[in-house]
Amino acid sequence: MASKLLLELKAVDRRYNEGDRKLVILDKADFSLKHGEMVALVAPSGAGKSTLLHTAGLLERADGGDVILSGVPCGPLSDDDRTAIRRNDIGFVYQFHHLLPEFSALENVMMPQMVAGLSPKQAKERALQLLDYMKIGHRADHRPAELSGGEQQRVAIARAVANAPLLLLADEPTGNLDPTTASYVFDALEALVRQSGLSALIATHNHELAARMDRRVTLSQGKIVSF
């Protein structure tokens, strides 16, 4: 029987040199995420939330231990193979939307699909579907500067799931938004995750939003612990 686990971190170490000393961010950290599970990562600034997400998302290599995605140990993989996994199986959402300013909302969502090999027609069709789902379809032809903060972030979420990833990693996706807009954006994000069967690890300072997820974890002395 196939494992119900999508993502596993096994004894993961992540350290940075800071002058003459080593700064320990992850210390033999263990974590698992099931298929379809939505987990909140709640920790103070500087605790290592971004490092954890970057390591889990194969943007950074662990100094020890391994990241396992869909049963595949990723540590031994080449950079090209890790890039392919990020492109096809992992979606990222950040606190700042990082949309390409010279392109419309529609084009921003089309782009990762075309990089993955879809035709412009196919990419446009799916992009429009996603933007409609995020209730932003009527703004498809607008550039990021013409969109509100909440609209920009909904476009960024649509872009993150454009290639139908298995895993969504989000780093304070509502951190730049006022409470009302943050709640609205999170509603859309949660609906998308639940209905698509995505697995999601979402870093947030917002305890109300964290309470709506399946469980919560934090970082303590380099370990990932539930609370």
Side-chain angles (χ1 to χ4, degrees):
M1 178 181 290
S3 171
K4 292 183 178 179
L5 296 180
L6 173 68
L7 173 69
E8 297 175 83
L9 273 63
K10 290 192 171 182
V12 167
D13 291 330
R14 195 72 182 96
R15 295 174 168 82
Y16 299 100
N17 291 322
E18 190 178 74
D20 295 331
R21 68 189 185 101
K22 282 200 171 182
L23 188 63
V24 178
I25 305 299
L26 299 176
D27 183 17
K28 292 182 169 50
D30 294 311
F31 175 74
S32 62
L33 183 68
K34 296 177 182 177
H35 283 277
E37 189 177 28
M38 194 173 188
V39 174
L41 172 60
V42 183
S45 297
K49 297 190 298 297
S50 295
T51 295
L52 170 56
L53 291 172
H54 289 171
T55 305
L58 310 185
L59 289 168
E60 298 182 17
R61 285 189 180 269
D63 297 309
D66 206 353
V67 176
I68 300 169
L69 187 65
S70 296
V72 176
C74 297
L77 297 179
S78 68
D79 288 343
D80 286 346
D81 287 339
R82 288 164 65 93
T83 297
I85 290 174
R86 288 198 304 271
R87 182 176 62 240
N88 298 321
D89 296 333
I90 305 174
F92 295 90
V93 182
Y94 298 97
Q95 183 171 347
F96 185 71
H97 56 78
H98 293 298
L99 298 173
L100 297 172
E102 66 271 30
F103 295 103
S104 69
L106 177 64
E107 291 165 337
N108 267 278
V109 182
M110 288 175 60
M111 201 160 299
Q113 301 177 73
M114 294 172 65
V115 170
L118 264 67
S119 69
K121 181 180 178 181
Q122 291 172 311
K124 182 176 181 180
E125 182 178 341
R126 175 160 172 77
L128 286 171
Q129 289 174 345
L130 286 168
L131 290 172
D132 283 341
Y133 188 88
M134 297 300 292
K135 298 181 172 59
I136 195 73
H138 62 292
R139 306 281 276 166
D141 293 331
H142 290 71
R143 293 185 181 184
E146 300 170 313
L147 303 174
S148 70
E151 289 171 336
Q152 291 169 344
Q153 200 64 321
R154 279 182 280 157
V155 174
I157 293 167
R159 181 185 59 183
V161 301
N163 285 337
L166 301 172
L167 173 65
L168 181 68
L169 300 172
D171 194 354
E172 298 286 354
T174 62
N176 277 336
L177 306 175
D178 64 82
T180 300
T181 304
S183 180
Y184 188 79
V185 168
F186 187 81
D187 286 347
L189 174 59
E190 182 180 23
L192 184 65
V193 169
R194 301 296 190 191
Q195 293 183 25
S196 64
L198 268 169
S199 301
L201 177 60
I202 301 175
T204 180
H205 279 106
N206 190 318
H207 287 269
E208 289 184 9
L209 298 183
R212 293 167 53 178
M213 301 188 220
D214 297 318
R215 59 189 173 96
R216 290 174 287 178
V217 298
T218 190
L219 284 162
S220 177
Q221 297 182 329
K223 309 291 187 185
I224 305 167
V225 296
S226 299
F227 71 100

